[in-house]
Amino acid sequence: MFRLLRQVISHISARTCSTAAAPPQPRLGLRSPFPDREVEVYNLQKQPAGKLVLPGQIFGVPIRSDIVQRVVVWQLAKRRQGTHKTKTRAEVSGSTRKIYQQKGTGNARHGTIRAPQFRHGGTAHGPRPRDHSLDLPAKVRQLGLKIALSAKLAEGNLMVVDDSAVRLSAQAQDAKQQSERQQQQQQQQVVPVKTATMARTLEALGLKSALLLVGAS
């Protein structure tokens, strides 16, 4: 019995030593599961002005309608003010006395005139002020935005506009109205873009309804 136990212990220790002496396996490089997307960059005349590579982990995510539905429900729920309110029988105006005696009239038994079954009476189980907002994890919200951007790119409804072209257009259209101080700002490449200028820019691109995404790079 002791001999068998000694053999088992020696076998386990030998396996442990061989496992510890084994060289570590090299880790494989991590790759993005979604390929990058190459799109055209347009100027204000809607002419190609180059190409841009968009990251696949943002613009190449598979479309999942269930995630988009959760994000849309979360956004719409947070928009609700929750100020709906109806008056109960304790809040409407009216007397609290019994409208007629309990027995002997042949009518139904009633108490106050402010009961819900009467005209101008209170509302039973009506809406009350409350918060309609829902809890949604931040990662699910981010995934919903990525899916929306990926869907727009897949449908061909995503356009990349050259930022320098927008700045040059703003300079040309507002040059007559700018003062000397604003001209100094132009030399420092600080050009204010007005709403009217952006409206004319979108109209030149043939866009009636658009969402602008502006990034640092």
Side-chain angles (χ1 to χ4, degrees):
M1 182 67 184
F2 291 102
R3 183 181 302 174
L4 178 62
L5 183 60
R6 192 180 302 111
Q7 292 178 357
V8 171
I9 294 175
S10 61
H11 180 67
I12 293 176
S13 60
R15 289 187 58 185
T16 304
C17 295
S18 61
T19 304
Q25 297 293 331
R27 296 185 60 184
L28 300 177
L30 298 178
R31 296 182 179 179
S32 175
F34 312 115
D36 296 339
R37 303 299 178 91
E38 188 177 17
V39 297
E40 291 282 349
V41 179
Y42 297 92
N43 55 16
L44 297 183
Q45 287 73 30
K46 208 174 181 178
Q47 298 176 352
K51 293 184 179 295
L52 179 67
V53 178
L54 299 178
Q57 62 268 22
I58 298 178
F59 295 91
V61 180
I63 309 301
R64 289 188 54 181
S65 58
D66 57 327
I67 298 295
V68 177
Q69 189 267 346
R70 291 179 61 184
V71 176
V72 170
V73 169
W74 171 75
Q75 291 180 347
L76 295 179
K78 287 183 68 68
R79 291 181 187 178
R80 299 186 64 177
Q81 295 182 356
T83 56
H84 38 54
K85 173 69 169 64
T86 57
K87 291 184 178 182
T88 62
R89 61 187 298 168
E91 297 170 337
V92 297
S93 61
S95 175
T96 58
R97 71 176 182 87
K98 190 173 179 63
I99 56 177
Y100 49 76
Q101 61 183 6
Q102 181 79 355
K103 295 179 177 296
T105 62
N107 297 323
R109 296 168 290 184
H110 290 298
T112 174
I113 198 65
R114 298 190 295 182
Q117 65 267 27
F118 292 114
R119 184 170 177 264
H120 300 302
T123 302
H125 309 294
R128 309 289 293 181
R130 66 184 184 92
D131 184 15
H132 291 273
S133 61
L134 306 175
D135 291 333
L136 191 64
K139 290 185 177 181
V140 178
R141 286 178 257 162
Q142 296 173 1
L143 181 59
L145 179 59
K146 294 178 182 179
I147 293 174
L149 294 175
S150 302
K152 287 295 182 181
L153 181 60
E155 295 172 358
N157 295 329
L158 191 143
M159 178 184 297
V160 180
V161 181
D162 190 7
D163 180 69
S164 60
V166 177
R167 292 178 180 272
L168 291 176
S169 175
Q171 292 179 3
Q173 294 179 2
D174 298 337
K176 297 181 180 179
Q177 302 177 359
Q178 288 175 346
S179 62
E180 295 180 357
R181 182 178 179 181
Q182 291 175 339
Q183 291 177 359
Q184 295 177 359
Q185 291 180 352
Q186 286 184 359
Q187 297 176 359
Q188 299 175 0
Q189 296 182 355
V190 179
V191 182
V193 180
K194 298 182 180 180
T195 304
T197 304
M198 290 304 302
R200 290 191 293 266
T201 301
L202 295 178
E203 184 178 359
L205 293 174
L207 302 176
K208 297 181 179 180
S209 177
L211 174 64
L212 301 180
L213 298 179
V214 181
S217 59

